[in-house]
């Protein structure tokens, strides 16, 4: 409980302040004293009345304080919506990185499948020790009784290759036919007989050159080799070429040319122009089987072979 104010003491203090004020104004003299004296009397009368009223009023107590008015229950008193407090600014290090913008997918009408790219030359070659020149015998032993693709199911013999293991000229065909599958030797059927004549017209004997195919087993019904079959056999073809190390290669037909060059250009456009395979000159030309079906194209094939002869400095029919 608070104490009542001492009214007599406060009145004395007011009168004392008033007296000092009057004395200060008296020093200045004149009309200021008269005006201030009248104002002081009015102030004194008002101050005494206010002090008497305060003295007569009882001091408030805690017990006598009126109880606060009853407030309606929270459910009945509407509350204004309160805005959520602003999120405190976090240091840059604590901020989570913003997710990258969503990738916009191209419309279905513009999704065009990219053309197939050539397979890279990767992995070790079978039967080849790095830094050493392999032999054809080592590669053939590595090939073994090959079961690396489905062509093994219908073959009679693996047709590996034949000829001079150190030949300066190699002929690469597509795959063995029925006669080759039966004998296990490349190019012994009708197409092989034509190839033998072509080789001799160039001034070579068949034993002077090396002959092999992209795939070593006959495709059923002499169909074209399929990509998985080419992929299974190609490492052995590359190993054979690394073992022989010829100065030039004649690729017979599109499968041989496209496999070695990794170029899908049609053979009709590719033939007759020197290309290169791992530093070796390569001449694409028509396959002998195609020439049997299209005899008029033999002239173009002969023109291609003449460029190979010129490369070796040979004349038609010249041996040695």
């Amino acid at each position: 409980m608070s104490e009542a104010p001492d009214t007599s003491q406060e009145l004395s203090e007011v009168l004392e302040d008033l007296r000092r004020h009057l004395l200060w104004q008296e020093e200045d003299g004149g009309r200021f004293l008269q005006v201030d004296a009248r104002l002081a009397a009015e102030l004194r009368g008002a101050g005494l009345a206010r002090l008497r009223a305060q003295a007569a009023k009882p001091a408030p107590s805690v017990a006598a304080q009126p109880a606060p008015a009853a407030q309606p229950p929270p459910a009945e008193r509407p509350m204004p919506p309160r805005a959520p407090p602003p999120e405190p600014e976090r240091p840059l290090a604590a901020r989570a990185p913003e997710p990258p913008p969503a990738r916009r997918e191209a419309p279905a009408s513009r999704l065009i499948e990219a053309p197939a790219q050539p397979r890279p030359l990767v992995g070790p070659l079978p039967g080849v020790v790095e830094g050493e020149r392999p032999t054809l015998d080592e590669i053939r032993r590595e090939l073994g009784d090959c079961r690396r693709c489905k062509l093994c199911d219908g073959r009679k013999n693996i047709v590996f290759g034949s000829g001079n293991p150190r030949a300066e000229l190699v002929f690469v065909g597509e795959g063995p036919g029925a006669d080759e599958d039966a004998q296990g030797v490349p190019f012994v059927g009708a197409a092989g007989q034509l190839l033998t004549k072509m080789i001799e017209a160039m001034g070579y004997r068949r034993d002077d050159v090396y002959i092999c195919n992209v795939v070593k087993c006959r495709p059923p019904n002499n169909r074209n080799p399929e990509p998985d079959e080419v992929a299974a056999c190609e490492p052995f073809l590359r190993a054979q070429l690394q073992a022989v190390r010829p100065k030039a290669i004649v690729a017979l037909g599109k499968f041989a040319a496209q496999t070695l060059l990794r170029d899908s250009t049609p053979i009709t456009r590719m033939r007759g122009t020197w290309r290169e395979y791992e530093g070796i000159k390569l001449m694409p030309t028509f396959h002998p089987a195609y020439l049997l079906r299209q005899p008029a194209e033999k002239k173009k094939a002969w023109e291609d072979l003449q460029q190979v002869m010129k490369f070796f400095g040979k004349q038609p029919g010249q041996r040695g």
Side-chain angles (χ1 to χ4, degrees):
M1 179 183 296
S2 60
E3 298 181 356
D6 190 350
T7 57
S8 60
Q9 181 179 356
E10 290 184 0
L11 181 59
S12 300
E13 292 177 355
V14 170
L15 294 177
E16 179 63 23
D17 291 340
L18 193 58
R19 186 183 65 80
R20 288 196 297 268
H21 178 72
L22 292 174
L23 290 176
W24 177 77
Q25 292 288 357
E26 187 177 359
E27 293 177 357
D28 288 345
R31 56 188 178 86
F32 295 102
L33 180 60
Q34 296 177 1
V35 173
D36 289 342
R38 186 170 59 252
L39 179 60
E42 294 175 358
L43 293 174
R44 181 173 62 183
L48 290 174
R50 181 174 61 81
L51 291 175
R52 289 192 187 99
Q54 290 180 357
K57 184 178 180 180
S61 62
V62 176
Q65 291 180 357
Q71 300 293 329
E76 299 178 0
R77 185 172 62 183
M79 297 294 292
R82 178 180 299 177
E87 184 179 354
E89 186 73 16
R90 291 179 295 173
L92 293 177
R95 295 181 185 177
E98 295 184 0
R103 181 179 178 182
R104 297 180 61 186
E105 297 293 340
S109 60
R110 299 182 60 187
L111 292 177
I112 302 175
E113 184 178 357
Q117 297 297 321
R119 292 173 289 105
L121 298 174
V122 294
L125 297 180
V128 177
V129 178
E130 186 177 358
E132 298 182 7
R133 182 176 182 177
T135 66
L136 293 173
D137 289 340
E138 291 170 343
I139 300 168
R140 181 62 185 90
R141 284 195 297 270
E142 183 70 22
L143 179 63
D145 184 25
C146 184
R147 316 292 297 181
R148 293 171 178 83
C149 76
K150 57 185 177 294
L151 291 182
C152 66
D153 296 332
R155 74 169 182 235
K156 294 181 180 178
N157 288 291
I158 293 176
V159 183
F160 183 69
S162 65
N164 184 354
R166 292 292 185 264
E168 64 178 10
L169 179 61
V170 170
F171 289 84
V172 179
E174 174 183 315
D179 293 324
E180 289 77 13
D181 180 45
Q183 300 182 40
V185 180
F187 283 93
V188 292
Q193 295 173 15
L194 178 56
L195 177 61
T196 300
K197 294 178 180 180
M198 296 164 61
I199 293 172
E200 292 174 349
M202 294 176 66
Y204 293 96
R205 292 184 299 267
R206 187 179 168 109
D207 292 340
D208 295 331
V209 301
Y210 189 78
I211 305 172
C212 59
N213 287 302
V214 172
V215 296
K216 313 304 182 188
C217 299
R218 180 195 179 196
N221 301 317
N222 291 340
R223 65 162 171 79
N224 293 331
E226 296 180 353
D228 62 314
E229 298 161 358
V230 173
C233 260
E234 184 190 3
F236 291 94
L237 170 62
R238 295 176 53 221
Q240 285 174 292
L241 295 174
Q242 186 167 334
V244 179
R245 294 186 184 178
K247 295 179 180 178
I249 300 170
V250 175
L252 301 170
K254 72 172 184 178
F255 278 94
Q258 292 179 357
T259 299
L260 292 174
L261 297 176
R262 278 167 163 67
D263 188 341
S264 59
T265 303
I267 189 64
T268 53
R269 292 167 46 195
M270 193 187 304
R271 56 145 295 270
T273 303
W274 278 112
R275 305 290 291 273
E276 188 172 292
Y277 166 81
E278 297 188 2
I280 303 172
K281 301 274 286 185
L282 186 147
M283 174 59 67
T285 193
F286 294 123
H287 193 283
Y290 173 78
L291 297 177
L292 291 176
R293 299 190 303 269
Q294 302 290 336
E297 301 287 12
K298 290 182 179 180
K299 180 180 179 181
K300 296 179 181 178
W302 179 238
E303 293 173 353
D304 301 339
L305 298 180
Q306 284 180 313
Q307 294 193 59
V308 179
M309 294 162 56
K310 183 178 179 180
F311 173 74
F312 286 108
K314 298 181 71 68
Q315 298 297 323
Q318 178 182 352
R319 296 292 180 89

